[in-house]
Amino acid sequence: IDISPLSVEVMKQRGVNDARLVNLFDETFTETFDSILMLMNGSGIIGKLSNMPGFFQRMKRILRPGGCILMVSSDLRYLFEDLAGDYYGEIDFRMQYKDVKGDTFDWLYIDFQTLSLYASECGFKAELVKEGKHYNYLAKLSLA
């Protein structure tokens, strides 16, 4: 699923049998899943830390019992000397391909410790599966 019509079209052209134009956070989307893959800094779709509780509530509704979320993110702490103020992983993002520019949107890079804290507060367990060489990681999130 994706919210970008162009992305869904590319998926279909590349042979994805069930590519759909759907917003994961659309309450009318009620399918359930054993696994939810949030790869390529998939935490980004959460947008802001303030959206974390809503994200986990949504995951509780669409994740089947015993299921899990595999999420990749990056810790951007190394980019900032002064970490005072807003959370450093909240980014204003804008996509561009050649001359096609999208609108600016919120994107969240979340460090594993902060992810774990929110997961725990929302009834999930976070497990660090693998750390990458470039401050990135793969986490497994499951209902506690």
Side-chain angles (χ1 to χ4, degrees):
I1 66 173
D2 204 300
I3 62 169
S4 164
L6 293 174
S7 294
V8 172
E9 183 58 35
V10 168
M11 286 188 273
K12 289 177 180 179
Q13 289 173 4
R14 294 190 175 174
V16 175
N17 293 329
D18 189 11
R20 291 188 247 164
L21 184 63
V22 175
N23 186 327
L24 178 67
F25 299 103
D26 181 344
E27 292 295 325
T28 64
F29 181 67
T30 59
E31 289 189 48
T32 59
F33 303 91
D34 294 320
S35 301
I36 298 172
L37 302 176
M38 301 178 70
L39 306 177
M40 301 295 295
N41 283 308
S43 64
I45 67 169
I46 300 165
K48 293 194 170 289
L49 283 180
S50 61
N51 297 334
M52 291 296 288
F55 164 75
F56 280 113
Q57 288 303 316
R58 180 71 177 136
M59 294 301 101
K60 284 180 182 178
R61 288 193 290 279
I62 67 172
L63 196 60
R64 292 182 189 138
C68 70
I69 303 161
L70 295 174
M71 179 187 291
V72 174
S73 192
S74 298
D75 184 350
L76 301 183
R77 180 181 312 263
Y78 70 97
L79 293 174
F80 301 93
E81 292 179 25
D82 179 17
L83 295 179
D86 294 337
Y87 181 69
Y88 60 88
E90 293 181 341
I91 305 294
D92 291 331
F93 217 89
R94 183 176 188 182
M95 301 292 286
Q96 178 176 345
Y97 177 73
K98 296 184 180 178
D99 294 332
V100 178
K101 293 181 182 180
D103 295 330
T104 301
F105 55 93
D106 295 328
W107 195 255
L108 178 65
Y109 294 94
I110 187 168
D111 66 280
F112 182 73
Q113 182 178 355
T114 303
L115 176 65
S116 297
L117 176 66
Y118 277 97
S120 178
E121 290 175 353
C122 296
F124 280 78
K125 178 180 76 171
E127 174 187 344
L128 182 61
V129 176
K130 183 154 179 72
E131 287 185 278
K133 297 176 183 176
H134 304 287
Y135 306 95
N136 57 328
Y137 64 89
L138 171 64
K140 178 182 176 185
L141 302 160
S142 52
L143 285 165

